[in-house]
Amino acid sequence: MTIAGSILVLGLALLSCVADGALRHHIGLSDRRSLIDGSGAAVTVFDVTKHGAKADDKTDNAEAFIQTWRAACDSGAPAKMVIPGGTFLTSPVVFQGPCKSTEPIVFEVQGNVKATTDLSEYSSEQWILFEIIDGLTLNGGGTFDGQGSAVWKYNDCHQNKECQPLPSSIKLSKVKNAFVHEISSVDSKYFHMHVTSCNSISIHNINLTAPANSPNTDGIHISHSDGVHVTSSKIGTGDDCVSIGQGSTNILISQVFCGPGHGLSVGSLGKYKNEEDVSGIVVTNCTLFNTTNGVRIKSYAASDPSQALNITFKDIAMDSVKNPIIIDQKYGSRNGAPSRVKISNVHYQNIKGTSTSDVAVSFSCSSLVPCQGVELVDIDLVYIGKKANMPLSASCLNANIVKSGGKQNPGCN
């Protein structure tokens, strides 16, 4: 190469570097790293520590988190917000869209995010809120610590119907096309995760943990949402591992290990006026260990009319479960007027394992709108309770069994 040619190449290289630096300065990315995502597009990383966050377990990082989110969400480029290793304390924070990029925004938690415990700081019913976002990935292997043990004593919902719920740890509201995976939540003050008014949400390989005696620490509560999949996860809490509330459609719960807790539940339904119907629920390939309930449908007595239909519980393993198969339409009151939640087209298929109660199948359906189209196929449960030589039984009140087959231990006669 000639000297003139070498000078030309060097000049072009310098111009390229200057142009790249100018572009980075223009969009404010000079202190951030660029990566390549799976599609080959450049991803810009927004690190919370660059916006003042401190992993000292005492600084309230809410403002720094919000500043980082706004920078990532408004950048217009494929973006990743990162909370690195360490313990970051924060009061309630809202991560709100819509974001400007057409690519999903990534929220990566590598460290430990810890909640403050002063309840006066919580003006709403959640700690971490993601809302109005189309395209979100929440991952990173980190942990959300709700520090619930400091405030569970203030939960009086078991005796006060007008109680003020404690804040949930993570809430997704009006979120579409989200993928939540490889995160943990411990000791939530209330629900670990609340998914509401959402569409197309995939929750995979997460770990939710709270003591068995912690109040209302549901693992995942789903309501008013369509197309939510919860798969390959471990949930052990003081309440339902998964609870599926009103307005939930096309929900899949698969390969979930539940225990301790109150089981995998559809409901509670019928608590409020004009509730939306629940339909298209599939719970499959799950294991329940040492839970108070197995697969459950529950509705309040004296409810307004609504429906729960097209529900399948399939390939479920029960290990030391108190009420393996249960429909309870007198939830909340044994003496109230009959529930008007109509339950229909419910399938129980290949449910096996051990029961600590001698009544392993309990259908307490409404006398006003009896359960219709109930199927029991291959039910094989063994009693391991304290009553010696006690045979297993089934209690099937106001339930129309349309099909039974395979082993029926116990079955509805």
Side-chain angles (χ1 to χ4, degrees), residues 98-121:
C99 295
K100 292 183 179 180
S101 175
T102 58
E103 297 294 326
I105 189 167
V106 178
F107 193 105
E108 185 173 290
V109 179
Q110 300 172 359
N112 182 25
V113 182
K114 184 182 286 189
T116 56
T117 58
D118 183 354
L119 292 179
S120 68
E121 297 176 345

Side-chain angles (χ1 to χ4, degrees), residues 212-229:
N213 61 350
S214 57
N216 299 111
T217 53
D218 293 46
I220 303 172
H221 180 69
I222 303 166
S223 64
H224 305 288
S225 296
D226 179 74
V228 179
H229 293 182

